Amino acid sequence: METKYIFVTGGVVSSLGKGIVAASLGKLLQARGYSVTIQKFDPYINIDPGTLNPYEHGECYVTDDGHEADLDLGHYERFLNVATSRANNITTGRIYQNVIRKERKGDYLGKTVQVIPHITDEIKRNVKLLGLKKRYDFVITEIGGTVGDIESLPFLESVRQLKWELGQSCLCLHLTYVPYIAAAGEVKTKPTQHSVKQLQEVGIQPDILVLRTEHSLGSDILRKVALFCNVSPESVVQSVDVPTIYQVPLALQAQHLDEIVLKKCGITPEGTPELKPWKHFLALREEATEEVRIALVGKYVELQDAYKSIDEALLQAAT
């Protein structure tokens, strides 16, 4: 089958969990028998996060080929059990470095090198690299940062072009935040509306909306978001806070996110994966009673994300 490309963008605020949603969707598609990989495109100018302070960026995840990558690649590997590499994490710095190297070699034959088409072409080349090389059924690409950030614009323009070029083989999932205002006792959809409008301003109409929220949203709220954001009602799902990130795939499956994606890609969904090993892992985790004390000595122990892989390795080993 022709490789399908799914882009995951985020709006309103950062740290909503684009990586967890991308990994969860990947898990659901993988459970249906499709080969899946996930890549992260970060809009910062560092070549890689290897030189970034953990206070700025959390842990630096090292891939099989020794590449220093974003910590989201750890989530991708833990959810899919598929090894990642240098090709799974691209930064603005890498993109510009590649383009400047080509310009110095004369590859552009004396043309004026510009953001469009040269930077966007390099981004698109990297987006499609894994799909072309290893023939994955689905390549999920997480665009780092928040819609509206100036540094994200070349990546979003590349997404716009790819949606136009690939048609039904490409779709955009947009993750936004629906805050709960305690004083008013209600949730507010206006930030989501503004976020989608910002995405539309750069030429991208999201195909699916995932609403991050602390409180479960009623069907009236979901319909309102669909109406004002120009998205079909069945394509608006919610991601309510859960005790562990490993419950997110089940929460999204209950809302048929994987079926929605397949239908939009022109594929007829067959059955519903049982995810037995995944549920067994969760059951073991929830039923555990014995407590083990493990000391972790490190410079950044007060940071939640500084030693993410060690935390997760201990959690899974204990489970």
Side-chain angles (χ1 to χ4, degrees), residues 189-200:
T189 63
K190 192 63 72 178
T192 291
Q193 294 175 43
H194 284 307
S195 177
V196 172
K197 280 184 171 59
Q198 281 187 302
L199 203 53
Q200 290 168 336

PDB file of all heavy atoms in Angstrom, residues 189-200:
ATOM      1  N   THR A 189     -14.055  26.979  24.775  1.00  0.00           N
ATOM      2  CA  THR A 189     -13.560  26.484  23.483  1.00  0.00           C
ATOM      3  C   THR A 189     -12.888  27.570  22.653  1.00  0.00           C
ATOM      4  O   THR A 189     -12.329  27.283  21.601  1.00  0.00           O
ATOM      5  CB  THR A 189     -14.720  25.897  22.651  1.00  0.00           C
ATOM      6  OG1 THR A 189     -15.663  26.940  22.349  1.00  0.00           O
ATOM      7  CG2 THR A 189     -15.434  24.789  23.406  1.00  0.00           C
ATOM      8  N   LYS A 190     -12.932  28.825  23.102  1.00  0.00           N
ATOM      9  CA  LYS A 190     -12.383  29.919  22.297  1.00  0.00           C
ATOM     10  C   LYS A 190     -10.897  29.743  21.963  1.00  0.00           C
ATOM     11  O   LYS A 190     -10.491  29.999  20.825  1.00  0.00           O
ATOM     12  CB  LYS A 190     -12.603  31.255  23.027  1.00  0.00           C
ATOM     13  CG  LYS A 190     -12.332  32.494  22.163  1.00  0.00           C
ATOM     14  CD  LYS A 190     -13.276  32.589  20.973  1.00  0.00           C
ATOM     15  CE  LYS A 190     -14.687  32.967  21.413  1.00  0.00           C
ATOM     16  NZ  LYS A 190     -15.585  33.111  20.233  1.00  0.00           N
ATOM     17  N   PRO A 191     -10.033  29.295  22.933  1.00  0.00           N
ATOM     18  CA  PRO A 191      -8.624  29.085  22.568  1.00  0.00           C
ATOM     19  C   PRO A 191      -8.461  28.095  21.415  1.00  0.00           C
ATOM     20  O   PRO A 191      -7.624  28.296  20.527  1.00  0.00           O
ATOM     21  CB  PRO A 191      -7.999  28.547  23.858  1.00  0.00           C
ATOM     22  CG  PRO A 191      -8.858  29.092  24.948  1.00  0.00           C
ATOM     23  CD  PRO A 191     -10.251  29.073  24.383  1.00  0.00           C
ATOM     24  N   THR A 192      -9.280  27.040  21.419  1.00  0.00           N
ATOM     25  CA  THR A 192      -9.218  26.058  20.321  1.00  0.00           C
ATOM     26  C   THR A 192      -9.635  26.689  18.999  1.00  0.00           C
ATOM     27  O   THR A 192      -8.996  26.475  17.961  1.00  0.00           O
ATOM     28  CB  THR A 192     -10.125  24.854  20.645  1.00  0.00           C
ATOM     29  OG1 THR A 192      -9.554  24.134  21.733  1.00  0.00           O
ATOM     30  CG2 THR A 192     -10.273  23.932  19.441  1.00  0.00           C
ATOM     31  N   GLN A 193     -10.700  27.493  19.029  1.00  0.00           N
ATOM     32  CA  GLN A 193     -11.150  28.172  17.801  1.00  0.00           C
ATOM     33  C   GLN A 193     -10.049  29.057  17.239  1.00  0.00           C
ATOM     34  O   GLN A 193      -9.785  29.060  16.033  1.00  0.00           O
ATOM     35  CB  GLN A 193     -12.397  29.009  18.098  1.00  0.00           C
ATOM     36  CG  GLN A 193     -13.625  28.190  18.482  1.00  0.00           C
ATOM     37  CD  GLN A 193     -14.792  29.074  18.885  1.00  0.00           C
ATOM     38  OE1 GLN A 193     -15.068  30.081  18.246  1.00  0.00           O
ATOM     39  NE2 GLN A 193     -15.472  28.712  19.961  1.00  0.00           N
ATOM     40  N   HIS A 194      -9.387  29.829  18.105  1.00  0.00           N
ATOM     41  CA  HIS A 194      -8.307  30.711  17.650  1.00  0.00           C
ATOM     42  C   HIS A 194      -7.124  29.907  17.093  1.00  0.00           C
ATOM     43  O   HIS A 194      -6.523  30.294  16.095  1.00  0.00           O
ATOM     44  CB  HIS A 194      -7.829  31.606  18.801  1.00  0.00           C
ATOM     45  CG  HIS A 194      -8.767  32.740  19.117  1.00  0.00           C
ATOM     46  ND1 HIS A 194      -9.213  33.619  18.155  1.00  0.00           N
ATOM     47  CD2 HIS A 194      -9.329  33.141  20.284  1.00  0.00           C
ATOM     48  CE1 HIS A 194     -10.024  34.516  18.708  1.00  0.00           C
ATOM     49  NE2 HIS A 194     -10.118  34.240  19.996  1.00  0.00           N
ATOM     50  N   SER A 195      -6.823  28.793  17.746  1.00  0.00           N
ATOM     51  CA  SER A 195      -5.706  27.957  17.311  1.00  0.00           C
ATOM     52  C   SER A 195      -5.951  27.399  15.910  1.00  0.00           C
ATOM     53  O   SER A 195      -5.064  27.405  15.052  1.00  0.00           O
ATOM     54  CB  SER A 195      -5.491  26.822  18.305  1.00  0.00           C
ATOM     55  OG  SER A 195      -4.470  25.968  17.871  1.00  0.00           O
ATOM     56  N   VAL A 196      -7.171  26.911  15.682  1.00  0.00           N
ATOM     57  CA  VAL A 196      -7.515  26.364  14.365  1.00  0.00           C
ATOM     58  C   VAL A 196      -7.506  27.471  13.308  1.00  0.00           C
ATOM     59  O   VAL A 196      -7.042  27.258  12.181  1.00  0.00           O
ATOM     60  CB  VAL A 196      -8.877  25.641  14.412  1.00  0.00           C
ATOM     61  CG1 VAL A 196      -9.337  25.252  13.013  1.00  0.00           C
ATOM     62  CG2 VAL A 196      -8.788  24.399  15.301  1.00  0.00           C
ATOM     63  N   LYS A 197      -7.966  28.658  13.674  1.00  0.00           N
ATOM     64  CA  LYS A 197      -7.943  29.784  12.731  1.00  0.00           C
ATOM     65  C   LYS A 197      -6.513  30.137  12.339  1.00  0.00           C
ATOM     66  O   LYS A 197      -6.234  30.474  11.184  1.00  0.00           O
ATOM     67  CB  LYS A 197      -8.659  30.997  13.319  1.00  0.00           C
ATOM     68  CG  LYS A 197     -10.185  30.920  13.195  1.00  0.00           C
ATOM     69  CD  LYS A 197     -10.871  32.170  13.685  1.00  0.00           C
ATOM     70  CE  LYS A 197     -12.369  32.160  13.338  1.00  0.00           C
ATOM     71  NZ  LYS A 197     -13.085  31.000  13.911  1.00  0.00           N
ATOM     72  N   GLN A 198      -5.578  30.067  13.307  1.00  0.00           N
ATOM     73  CA  GLN A 198      -4.171  30.325  12.991  1.00  0.00           C
ATOM     74  C   GLN A 198      -3.639  29.288  12.014  1.00  0.00           C
ATOM     75  O   GLN A 198      -2.853  29.607  11.117  1.00  0.00           O
ATOM     76  CB  GLN A 198      -3.327  30.314  14.271  1.00  0.00           C
ATOM     77  CG  GLN A 198      -3.428  31.595  15.082  1.00  0.00           C
ATOM     78  CD  GLN A 198      -2.444  31.602  16.236  1.00  0.00           C
ATOM     79  OE1 GLN A 198      -2.471  30.714  17.087  1.00  0.00           O
ATOM     80  NE2 GLN A 198      -1.586  32.600  16.277  1.00  0.00           N
ATOM     81  N   LEU A 199      -4.064  28.042  12.190  1.00  0.00           N
ATOM     82  CA  LEU A 199      -3.643  26.980  11.274  1.00  0.00           C
ATOM     83  C   LEU A 199      -4.242  27.217   9.884  1.00  0.00           C
ATOM     84  O   LEU A 199      -3.565  27.051   8.856  1.00  0.00           O
ATOM     85  CB  LEU A 199      -4.105  25.634  11.833  1.00  0.00           C
ATOM     86  CG  LEU A 199      -3.370  24.363  11.388  1.00  0.00           C
ATOM     87  CD1 LEU A 199      -1.872  24.480  11.595  1.00  0.00           C
ATOM     88  CD2 LEU A 199      -3.919  23.154  12.128  1.00  0.00           C
ATOM     89  N   GLN A 200      -5.502  27.633   9.850  1.00  0.00           N
ATOM     90  CA  GLN A 200      -6.159  27.914   8.575  1.00  0.00           C
ATOM     91  C   GLN A 200      -5.508  29.104   7.855  1.00  0.00           C
ATOM     92  O   GLN A 200      -5.459  29.143   6.632  1.00  0.00           O
ATOM     93  CB  GLN A 200      -7.643  28.185   8.802  1.00  0.00           C
ATOM     94  CG  GLN A 200      -8.435  26.944   9.215  1.00  0.00           C
ATOM     95  CD  GLN A 200      -9.831  27.273   9.712  1.00  0.00           C
ATOM     96  OE1 GLN A 200     -10.089  28.386  10.178  1.00  0.00           O
ATOM     97  NE2 GLN A 200     -10.747  26.306   9.640  1.00  0.00           N
TER      98      GLN A 200
END
